[in-house]
Amino acid sequence: MAGMLLAYIKVAYQDRGGTAMRCGLAAGLISAIVMAVFKTMTSKVDTGIWNLYIYAVSLLALILFWVFTIWGKRLKKLEGLLSSAMMAIELAMLLFYFVPFFLEMPHTILLTEETVASTAFVVKMLGMLLGFLLTCLMGVSIYQGTLCISKKTALLLTSLALLGNTFKQVAAAFGILLAKRMIPSNHFLFVTSKYASNLSNWFIYFTILIAAAVPAILLIKSLSVSEPYENSAQHRKILAKWRKRRRWSTVSLVCFALVIFTMTAVSAYANQEVELSPIEDAKIEDGSVIVPFDQVNDGHLHRFGYTSDSGVVIRFIVIQKPNSSAYGIGLDACEICGETGYYEKDGQIVCNLCDVVMNINTIGFKGGCNPIVIDYKIENGNIVVPLEGLLEYESEFK
């Protein structure tokens, strides 16, 4: 959307568009950096409220843009100034909304990693940077393509993309207003916001479909180039121009295919559910769960559980630490990821939600994505876990 916006501003408003483009880019990026800093370093930012402001400004700017465009003849010279200003505001709001998520990612990743030197942190950062480069390449390719189509076509495609984004924002705004009880409960608004949230990827597919019309138009036109020329030099120049357009169009389509592949096949693979190992039998005596050493001294993950009176299964794990007689013991849940649990893979213990690999020697200690620490004692070759201590964490598994 940013690439289409930037190109349309330049195509439609020429010099004024260049000034508006630079102002929109600068305002959006500066606002995004400030927002990311405040969100990661303070707890004073209410994301929902700020999103409402962004949605409201974006909607108002889009409506005024259409008004100024429709009434352009009456406004005369002001039409270009006002319309380009509204597009610049729209661009700034897009960057203000989306860019902070990217800037916050290193901080978010560190919440589940012990250090920036960990392999998991480096791999996730590389993935983040590759995604950023792909996004930039998409934006540049669509920008280059939109510069080469007519003003009316650029206006139509850009407006459709922004309209789809606006619908999503309006639905999200109703969700925020309902959640914060700023408007009375309404079934229709609740269902609308719920479906918009659950089908958020479809709005991205819609934007891609609209944007893909740009390279499609250029590729079709390139098949029958009929521009007049007076000599062979001009002819070669025309052919070179259309070769460049075909290349950028191909880049756009390849990028779109990669994004869709990432959002479907790669995402499904990355988020596939891992079936947790079954809960093993253990004796319950004198208000405690009794786990014999002989049952858990093989160095593998063992899962146990106790069903409370309200039917909630409170799970905990036990694993013998490498080259040690000590055991790592904790809830099958952590303070960051909740009760999604842990599983064993290639001799390592992995969080089922965030894929963080645990240091087995630190299981039983607080911090990071480690299992929540529980009370236990060692008696007569058994691990004894008091039920009273387990029941304190019943709410973690509801």
Side-chain angles (χ1 to χ4, degrees):
M1 286 188 291
M4 295 177 75
L5 265 174
L6 288 168
Y8 176 73
I9 291 173
K10 185 172 182 179
V11 168
Y13 308 114
Q14 304 302 322
D15 294 338
R16 290 177 180 175
T19 302
M21 180 174 65
R22 289 188 289 272
C23 291
L25 273 172
L29 291 174
I30 292 171
S31 300
I33 293 170
V34 172
M35 176 60 76
V37 170
F38 271 86
K39 288 179 71 175
T40 54
M41 299 186 67
T42 73
S43 58
K44 297 180 179 180
V45 177
D46 187 328
T47 304
I49 295 297
W50 273 100
N51 284 347
L52 286 177
Y53 293 147
I54 293 172
Y55 299 158
V57 173
S58 295
L59 179 60
L60 181 61
L62 188 59
I63 292 173
L64 289 177
F65 166 75
W66 284 331
V67 169
F68 296 147
T69 300
I70 293 170
W71 294 90
K73 292 182 179 180
R74 295 188 180 184
L75 295 172
K76 297 181 180 179
K77 293 183 179 180
L78 282 177
E79 185 271 332
L81 178 63
L82 295 173
S83 296
S84 60
M86 293 305 103
M87 284 288 94
I89 292 172
E90 193 71 32
L91 175 63
M93 291 300 102
L94 279 175
L95 297 174
F96 189 25
Y97 179 75
F98 287 106
V99 173
F101 290 106
F102 171 77
L103 298 178
E104 295 164 33
M105 285 182 73
H107 177 265
T108 304
I109 294 170
L110 270 180
L111 292 176
T112 58
E113 301 297 334
E114 295 179 356
T115 172
V116 295
S118 67
T119 302
F121 180 84
V122 173
V123 169
K124 290 177 181 179
M125 286 295 295
L126 285 174
M128 182 189 81
L129 292 174
L130 285 173
F132 176 71
L133 290 174
L134 177 60
T135 303
C136 289
L137 186 58
M138 290 171 62
V140 171
S141 63
I142 284 298
Y143 172 80
Q144 293 289 343
T146 307
L147 289 177
C148 302
I149 60 178
S150 68
K151 178 181 175 180
K152 288 184 178 180
T153 304
L155 173 60
L156 174 63
L157 296 177
T158 303
S159 296
L160 285 174
L162 291 175
L163 191 61
N165 185 60
T166 299
F167 178 81
K168 178 186 175 182
Q169 289 183 342
V170 170
F174 283 130
I176 295 170
L177 293 170
L178 289 170
K180 293 184 175 295
R181 302 185 185 280
M182 298 172 70
I183 59 174
S185 179
N186 183 287
H187 180 71
F188 174 76
L189 295 181
F190 172 76
V191 171
T192 301
S193 62
K194 182 186 74 171
Y195 276 104
S197 176
N198 292 340
L199 300 175
S200 59
N201 280 354
W202 288 98
F203 290 97
I204 300 176
Y205 298 144
F206 174 77
T207 305
I208 289 176
L209 180 64
I210 297 300
V214 174
I217 291 170
L218 293 177
L219 286 174
I220 292 171
K221 284 186 176 181
S222 70
L223 298 176
S224 56
V225 178
S226 59
E227 294 184 30
Y229 58 89
E230 296 180 356
N231 53 56
S232 58
Q234 287 184 352
H235 189 211
R236 288 194 299 271
K237 187 175 181 180
I238 292 171
L239 293 176
K241 177 182 69 175
W242 280 98
R243 276 198 303 271
K244 180 181 178 181
R245 291 179 179 180
R246 281 196 299 270
R247 288 168 183 166
W248 277 118
S249 298
T250 303
V251 168
S252 297
L253 295 176
V254 170
C255 287
F256 291 151
L258 284 173
V259 169
I260 293 173
F261 177 71
T262 301
M263 292 176 63
T264 53
V266 175
S267 179
Y269 175 79
N271 297 310
Q272 60 185 335
E273 291 189 12
V274 177
E275 186 175 350
L276 299 179
S277 59
I279 294 174
E280 300 179 26
D281 294 331
K283 294 187 297 183
I284 297 178
E285 293 181 355
D286 300 326
S288 298
V289 180
I290 311 297
V291 179
F293 285 171
D294 292 342
Q295 190 173 349
V296 293
N297 61 2
D298 56 3
H300 293 292
L301 178 72
H302 297 267
R303 198 181 323 274
F304 300 92
Y306 171 73
T307 303
S308 68
D309 292 340
S310 55
V312 177
V313 180
I314 307 168
R315 307 188 311 270
F316 65 94
I317 60 173
V318 178
I319 185 171
Q320 186 177 22
K321 297 184 178 182
N323 304 314
S324 172
S325 59
Y327 290 86
I329 303 168
L331 280 189
D332 194 24
C334 79
E335 293 178 353
I336 298 174
C337 299
E339 53 87 31
T340 54
Y342 302 87
Y343 64 93
E344 183 178 353
K345 180 181 180 181
D346 300 327
Q348 296 179 314
I349 305 305
V350 184
C351 175
N352 194 26
L353 180 64
C354 65
D355 293 330
V356 168
V357 176
M358 302 294 108
N359 181 344
I360 295 177
N361 287 310
T362 66
I363 294 177
F365 297 95
K366 293 182 178 180
C369 208
N370 275 338
I372 295 172
V373 177
I374 58 174
D375 291 331
Y376 70 92
K377 54 187 177 181
I378 304 297
E379 288 184 351
N380 302 321
N382 296 311
I383 298 169
V384 181
V385 181
L387 297 180
E388 183 179 358
L390 286 178
L391 289 171
E392 292 179 7
Y393 298 101
E394 183 177 5
S395 60
E396 296 286 343
F397 295 89
K398 287 185 176 179

